[in-house]
Amino acid sequence: MQVDVRLYTPAEAAAMLQVRESWLRKKASARVIPCTFIGKHLRFSDQDIAGIIAAGAKQPVVRRRRGRF
């Protein structure tokens, strides 16, 4: 069985996401963002990175204008 999964180090994932590595490590240690631990080694798969991006996406806030009465 061949597994074709790319795992990124915290430094590589932080560079891809354009965030500080310390922020990424802190959130991963708190289990706030998707991550993969291989033993004690923290890694991020493509799916983990996609999950982080999706979790950070915010829908636009649409405000209605009040009519003049």
Side-chain angles (χ1 to χ4, degrees):
M1 182 169 98
Q2 184 178 2
V3 178
D4 187 25
V5 175
R6 171 78 163 106
L7 294 177
Y8 302 95
T9 65
E12 292 171 328
M16 290 172 65
L17 295 167
Q18 298 179 352
V19 298
R20 290 185 178 184
E21 183 179 348
S22 61
W23 179 88
L24 198 62
R25 285 181 178 276
K26 183 166 67 168
K27 297 295 183 180
S29 294
R31 306 297 198 273
V32 177
I33 59 173
C35 61
T36 303
F37 281 95
I38 307 294
K40 65 178 182 176
H41 301 284
L42 175 62
R43 296 293 182 261
F44 296 90
S45 67
D46 289 322
Q47 292 81 12
D48 294 335
I49 292 170
I52 294 167
I53 293 168
K58 303 291 182 202
Q59 294 298 318
V61 176
V62 179
R63 297 183 185 196
R64 292 184 173 182
R65 295 182 78 183
R66 294 185 187 187
R68 292 184 183 175
F69 295 113

